[in-house]
Amino acid sequence: MTLNDLGLGKSAVITKVSGEGALRQHFLDMGVIPGAEITLIKYAPMGDPMQLKVQGYELTLRLDDAKHIEIEEISNASEENSGVVNRKKLEHPGFGEDGKYHIKKGEAPYPKGTKLTFALVGNQNSGKTTLFNALTGANQHVGNFPGVTVDRKTGVIRGNDDTLVTDLPGIYSLSPYTSEEIVSRQFILDEKPTCIINIIDTNNIERNLYLTMQLMELEVPIVLALNMMDEVEGNGGTVYINAMEQELGTPVVPISAAKNEGVDELIRHAVHIARYKEKPGRTDFCDKDTAGGAVHRAIHSIMHLIEDHAVAYNIPVRFAACKLIEGDSLVLEALKLSDNEKETLEHIIIQMEQERGLDRAAAIADMRFSFIKKLCASTVVKPKVSKEHIRSNKIDKILTGKFTAIPSFVIIMALVFYLTFDVIGSNLQKLLEIGIGWLSNTVDALLVSLNVNKVLHSLVIDGIFGGIGTVVSFVPIIVTLFFFLSLLEDSGYMARVAFIMDKLLRKIGLSGRSIVPMLIGFGCTVPGVMASRTLPSARDRKMTIMLTPFMSCSAKLPIYGFFAAAFFPKHTALVMVSLYFLGILTAVITALICKRFLFKGEAVPFVMELPNYRLPTPKNVVRLLWEKAKDFIERAFTVILIASIVVWFLQSFNFKLNVVSDSKDSILAVVAGFISPVFAPLGFDKWEIVTSLVAGFMAKESVVSTLSVLLGTRHIAEFITPLSAISLLVFCLLYTPCVAAIASIKRELGGKWAFGTVVFQCVIAYICALIIRSVILLFMI
Ligand code: GDP
Ligand code: MG
């Protein structure tokens, strides 16, 4: 029987994990391995994916993927407790540990003043961001890892000036599959941090230690930070820190990042072992007595086989051996083995598979989890009940319940939009506009009093202040939207949204996680595009970013309002609703086409952890808002400013570079007149309209304002027919969003993609407008 046949609430033992490549490795890395117990908790409201419990935590799995997992049903799940009780809790010894966990032979500390570098590594939701903030305070810098859109945050550990800590992306393993995993291991292998700080969610210590095993194989000094200790101890659990240190031969520090407990001690340990180059005392986790010792023998034979290559190419030998067995192509390439050696390697692995009765990847995963099980049995006391988990289950009864999930989602999103666009964001925006208006007036008055040249005056007031005004007017909305987003993300709700919506989004080739950026796109494309950064795969990210601009953003509303009022005063609501749906429909069709031709290949496996609900710390939220606002202003400012000045120039000058008195003679008008025949098939080939469409690249609101200026006292109805108004509306809905959006697309995907998106959208807009016009014409005849 396979996992998708398991009954609700029933438990089973996994007997075999088939499938291949990234998906299978991901299963194994998440603890879905032969021999593990698994329980079906519930299905998503639409019947897919499923929520499962394995290795003491909860994850989501699609039914299609579950077919790859063979199981044997068991009548009742074994009690989850490690059996260790009644061991006295010892004080955790202080700084230095008196050489208890390391061998100080040949000690050669770095001289004072050497820069010590630290890598912060851990699973998603283990509290990495919180710890990073606690370690560095305000001393942070955000950049990018070369070649990939993965944020790279660095900072100086407070109180230790000659340190630098880098926050690596949240990962579950060092497999060569996701860009995050590759970034993390490249960083550790190539940039050689002096020390790794491995943060662990102690509530899920078994699964978190799986990554630790791989990190320790890298033979870099490492400190384990057992986070969330406040929750574990609050529920009556504990960890025997000293015993664990002895087993692992490296410092283990219980902390609570959110409460800033134990962080000072963590810093002292980390700096100490970094300075004294204290490598972990243990890198060997295979046991010669487990299952006949086949895995143990294979790993050690391979270590002998590749030792000289590993030394030559500077890859830790134990790490290389384990990765070779798992079938890691990057390591295999890097080691440059001879054909003979490759053959021997294959022989050893096949021998091991036969003796162990498990395939290579599963055997290694099993080796790691067996060690972890033993380690936890002697050092971890699990709490019987976790208050946080019970609370989470209660919340989930509603938020992911069969009948309540989707209504709750709609209500929550509606509330976010209402608060952003009607209450907080719009008021902030008004406030800022008043400020900018005041500044602009002051400068205006100043320029007038100084008798400045009229053109320069117009450049400053219309060009530059116009541009700054556009940038600034976006900021409040971005900040407010990101405030809610970070609440939803850090609380753990976003993972549930992905869980609920996955089935729907899968139909168009995306995963549930893409729903949020697209929804935000209804408010504003810019934060929508920025939010796509949380998507785990590059393919999904690209596709989501391409689709988001089709969601009708709030700046397009004035356009709809203007034309609907002029041409269809009795059917305003109908016009608006139809346009919104048309946007969604276009996105769906585009997605289907993209899935077919542009983004073939498999969607990422949707194996995702569902963390307990937690209240984010205010510090994290404030920091995120600051980062997003700064990011937007830094990146968008130049683009928007330059674009504003260009549009101003085109509007104010003629081809002889003289200032025009009638806007009809401006470069923009002439160019618009020149390209306007292109729009004749759509029915709006007047230069005034084309000019306002060009101005719409600046900001969608400008379409209406430019048009009103150019029309003067004339009424729009004298210009175009109602039919042309419809195709114009369709064109406005679908054509390229404003420069701010283009700037953020460029930031996420690069210039080529941004340009491609612009062209693509103009073409789609043109085609759709044409089709709709033709269809209506057909019916009218
Ligand atoms: P990341 O995904 O690893 O960056 O994790 P975050 O730092 O965003 O933390 C995830 C959630 O756990 C947030 O809501 C934090 O407030 C919370 N959190 C982090 N550390 C602790 C801790 O030590 N104790 C408790 N109770 N909650 C924590
Ligand atoms: Mg985080």
Side-chain angles (χ1 to χ4, degrees):
M1 138 177 193
T2 51
L3 185 56
N4 54 321
D5 299 324
L6 189 64
L8 210 57
K10 294 278 192 302
S11 298
V13 171
I14 298 169
T15 51
K16 192 172 167 217
V17 181
S18 45
E20 55 188 31
L23 177 66
R24 178 157 198 274
Q25 190 63 49
H26 208 64
F27 282 155
L28 300 173
D29 291 342
M30 298 294 280
V32 181
I33 54 170
E37 244 172 53
I38 196 158
T39 308
L40 175 59
I41 296 175
K42 68 159 79 155
Y43 290 102
M46 293 182 221
D48 190 12
M50 58 213 293
Q51 180 181 356
L52 298 154
K53 182 168 180 172
V54 69
Q55 309 281 5
Y57 78 103
E58 282 165 21
L59 56 69
T60 67
L61 204 65
R62 286 176 180 153
L63 293 184
D64 275 353
D65 297 339
K67 285 187 189 133
H68 295 297
I69 296 167
E70 285 172 30
I71 51 166
E72 216 162 77
E73 199 169 331
I74 47 176
S75 47
N76 47 350
S78 52
E79 272 294 304
E80 195 195 298
N81 208 323
S82 46
V84 187
V85 257
N86 289 337
R87 270 178 68 170
K88 232 177 64 219
K89 199 179 149 190
L90 291 174
E91 272 303 299
H92 183 229
F95 170 58
E97 305 281 20
D98 300 327
K100 259 184 209 150
Y101 50 76
H102 55 256
I103 311 135
K104 285 200 167 173
K105 257 189 264 160
E107 184 178 273
Y110 287 109
K112 268 219 154 25
T114 314
K115 186 135 210 147
L116 302 174
T117 53
F118 297 84
L120 183 58
V121 193
N123 286 184
Q124 276 149 32
N125 303 306
S126 56
K128 246 160 37 65
T129 310
T130 317
L131 178 59
F132 184 75
N133 290 343
L135 285 175
T136 59
N139 245 331
Q140 297 186 6
H141 175 77
V142 190
N144 238 325
F145 284 99
V148 280
T149 16
V150 175
D151 277 335
R152 173 181 183 154
K153 277 208 238 170
T154 50
V156 174
I157 297 181
R158 57 182 157 81
N160 295 270
D161 287 341
D162 45 359
T163 58
L164 191 74
V165 54
T166 303
D167 187 13
L168 294 181
I171 49 170
Y172 292 101
S173 151
L174 294 177
S175 304
Y177 288 113
T178 65
S179 55
E180 284 82 1
E181 289 165 350
I182 297 176
V183 162
S184 297
R185 75 181 209 179
Q186 277 338 30
F187 181 84
I188 299 168
L189 290 176
D190 298 346
E191 303 204 16
K192 304 210 179 315
T194 0
C195 170
I196 296 174
I197 300 173
N198 176 208
I199 180 166
I200 287 170
D201 172 359
T202 316
N203 291 307
N204 293 330
I205 190 161
E206 290 98 340
R207 202 214 48 230
N208 279 252
L209 283 172
Y210 183 81
L211 177 64
T212 309
M213 303 290 103
Q214 300 180 48
L215 293 172
M216 290 179 75
E217 286 173 355
L218 293 168
E219 291 180 46
V220 178
I222 182 171
V223 198
L224 272 54
L226 299 187
N227 194 28
M228 316 261 181
M229 268 325 245
D230 54 322
E231 285 186 6
V232 172
E233 299 201 320
N235 291 318
T238 191
V239 176
Y240 300 123
I241 301 290
N242 309 61
M244 187 173 274
E245 282 184 337
Q246 232 148 47
E247 285 288 320
L248 295 176
T250 205
V252 178
V253 187
I255 66 165
S256 166
K259 305 207 159 129
N260 205 0
E261 288 166 8
V263 179
D264 289 331
E265 192 187 347
L266 177 69
I267 294 177
R268 282 201 305 272
H269 277 284
V271 172
H272 179 84
I273 65 160
R275 168 125 24 245
Y276 288 87
K277 307 177 193 167
E278 284 166 12
K279 293 185 179 167
R282 174 168 201 160
T283 51
D284 190 340
F285 308 106
C286 48
D287 188 350
K288 40 181 192 301
D289 304 326
T290 307
V295 178
H296 165 81
R297 283 195 301 278
I299 293 177
H300 288 268
S301 320
I302 293 175
M303 282 166 67
H304 286 302
L305 178 71
I306 60 166
E307 199 170 355
D308 48 339
H309 291 264
V311 172
Y313 297 106
N314 220 343
I315 303 174
V317 58
R318 162 106 195 168
F319 172 77
C322 290
K323 286 291 158 193
L324 282 180
I325 299 181
E326 280 181 345
D328 187 317
S329 50
L330 294 182
V331 169
L332 186 63
E333 241 170 69
L335 284 175
K336 304 201 172 55
L337 297 181
S338 71
D339 286 347
N340 255 336
E341 286 164 326
K342 279 186 194 157
E343 212 167 284
T344 317
L345 172 73
E346 189 61 26
H347 272 299
I348 298 174
I349 300 175
I350 291 175
Q351 178 72 19
M352 176 209 75
E353 286 180 319
Q354 279 167 357
E355 284 178 35
R356 181 67 185 83
L358 283 174
D359 70 279
R360 47 196 78 189
I364 293 291
D366 177 75
M367 177 269 290
R368 295 200 181 111
F369 276 112
S370 301
F371 177 84
I372 292 169
K373 223 177 235 148
K374 248 196 269 159
L375 175 69
C376 290
S378 62
T379 57
V380 178
V381 182
K382 284 230 151 182
K384 281 234 159 38
V385 283
S386 153
K387 288 193 287 286
E388 291 76 20
H389 193 67
I390 293 173
R391 189 181 61 195
S392 272
N393 281 346
K394 274 191 196 149
I395 301 176
D396 264 345
K397 280 227 164 67
I398 297 172
L399 292 188
T400 66
K402 198 166 172 57
F403 300 106
T404 45
I406 292 173
S408 323
F409 174 62
V410 172
I411 291 173
I412 290 174
M413 286 317 290
L415 203 65
V416 166
F417 274 101
Y418 170 70
L419 289 176
T420 306
F421 290 99
D422 263 15
V423 186
I424 308 172
S426 69
N427 280 327
L428 278 178
Q429 196 167 7
K430 268 182 212 138
L431 219 66
L432 264 174
E433 272 164 10
I434 292 173
I436 291 280
W438 175 83
L439 195 67
S440 157
N441 285 341
T442 316
V443 175
D444 194 1
L446 190 74
L447 292 179
V448 170
S449 71
L450 289 178
N451 238 337
V452 177
N453 175 310
K454 228 173 97 193
V455 179
L456 188 66
H457 179 258
S458 161
L459 169 69
V460 172
I461 300 301
D462 303 331
I464 296 177
F465 270 98
I468 295 176
T470 324
V471 178
V472 169
S473 68
F474 272 106
V475 173
I477 287 186
I478 288 176
V479 168
T480 336
L481 268 180
F482 269 101
F483 169 73
F484 290 116
L485 261 186
S486 77
L487 283 189
L488 298 181
E489 175 84 43
D490 285 358
S491 66
Y493 182 60
M494 218 63 112
R496 268 77 177 183
V497 171
F499 174 64
I500 300 166
M501 289 299 179
D502 187 61
K503 190 172 180 191
L504 202 66
L505 277 261
R506 244 195 117 187
K507 294 210 159 78
I508 58 169
L510 287 170
S511 86
R513 284 183 165 265
S514 298
I515 189 89
V516 174
M518 291 209 244
L519 274 179
I520 290 173
F522 279 113
C524 176
T525 309
V526 178
V529 169
M530 285 165 85
S532 72
R533 183 156 277 221
T534 54
L535 299 179
S537 95
R539 174 189 173 278
D540 285 18
R541 204 178 294 150
K542 277 183 194 148
M543 210 157 139
T544 309
I545 290 178
M546 277 181 67
L547 300 183
T548 304
F550 288 131
M551 305 301 141
S552 199
C553 80
S554 61
K556 291 176 186 165
L557 266 177
I559 309 183
Y560 306 160
F562 178 78
F563 284 98
F567 291 97
F568 317 101
K570 291 208 186 88
H571 306 288
T572 324
L574 178 70
V575 170
M576 302 236 178
V577 172
S578 317
L579 284 168
Y580 272 91
F581 273 102
L582 182 66
I584 298 172
L585 186 71
T586 316
V588 170
I589 295 173
T590 313
L592 289 176
I593 296 173
C594 284
K595 184 178 140 196
R596 206 49 211 255
F597 300 106
L598 197 54
F599 299 108
K600 283 186 220 156
E602 55 178 324
V604 274
F606 189 65
V607 188
M608 195 182 62
E609 182 186 359
L610 291 180
N612 285 343
Y613 287 103
R614 292 199 177 87
L615 222 53
T617 56
K619 245 198 201 150
N620 277 3
V621 173
V622 170
R623 173 135 292 141
L624 185 99
L625 294 188
W626 169 237
E627 268 166 29
K628 291 292 169 191
K630 207 173 81 174
D631 184 66
F632 172 72
I633 293 176
E634 273 175 10
R635 312 272 167 175
F637 205 75
T638 39
V639 179
I640 295 179
L641 201 60
I642 291 172
S644 315
I645 294 174
V646 169
V647 170
W648 166 83
F649 176 80
L650 296 178
Q651 261 178 339
S652 320
F653 287 85
N654 63 16
F655 277 107
K656 293 196 185 104
L657 297 187
N658 291 326
V659 182
V660 293
S661 48
D662 187 348
S663 48
K664 185 165 93 245
D665 306 321
S666 69
I667 300 179
L668 189 59
V670 174
V671 173
F674 186 70
I675 54 174
S676 61
V678 175
F679 293 99
L682 304 184
F684 48 85
D685 53 350
K686 299 280 189 301
W687 70 267
E688 290 90 343
I689 292 180
V690 179
T691 306
S692 56
L693 287 180
V694 175
F697 275 111
M698 273 311 304
K700 282 286 163 294
E701 298 96 322
S702 328
V703 173
V704 172
S705 56
T706 312
L707 198 58
S708 341
V709 172
L710 295 178
L711 287 179
T713 52
R714 295 169 293 177
H715 191 266
I716 180 74
E718 301 165 22
F719 260 70
I720 50 173
T721 60
L723 177 58
S724 307
I726 292 178
S727 52
L728 179 59
L729 279 174
V730 172
F731 189 81
C732 284
L733 161 71
L734 299 175
Y735 90 112
T736 313
C738 57
V739 261
I742 301 172
S744 53
I745 294 177
K746 176 166 173 281
R747 158 112 168 90
E748 296 301 321
L749 299 181
K752 249 194 244 154
W753 275 90
F755 181 73
T757 314
V758 171
V759 174
F760 169 74
Q761 274 154 351
C762 288
V763 172
I764 294 270
Y766 191 91
I767 296 174
C768 286
L770 190 64
I771 293 176
I772 286 177
R773 186 180 160 84
S774 315
V775 169
I776 298 177
L777 271 175
L778 258 176
F779 275 95
M780 286 195 343
I781 296 168

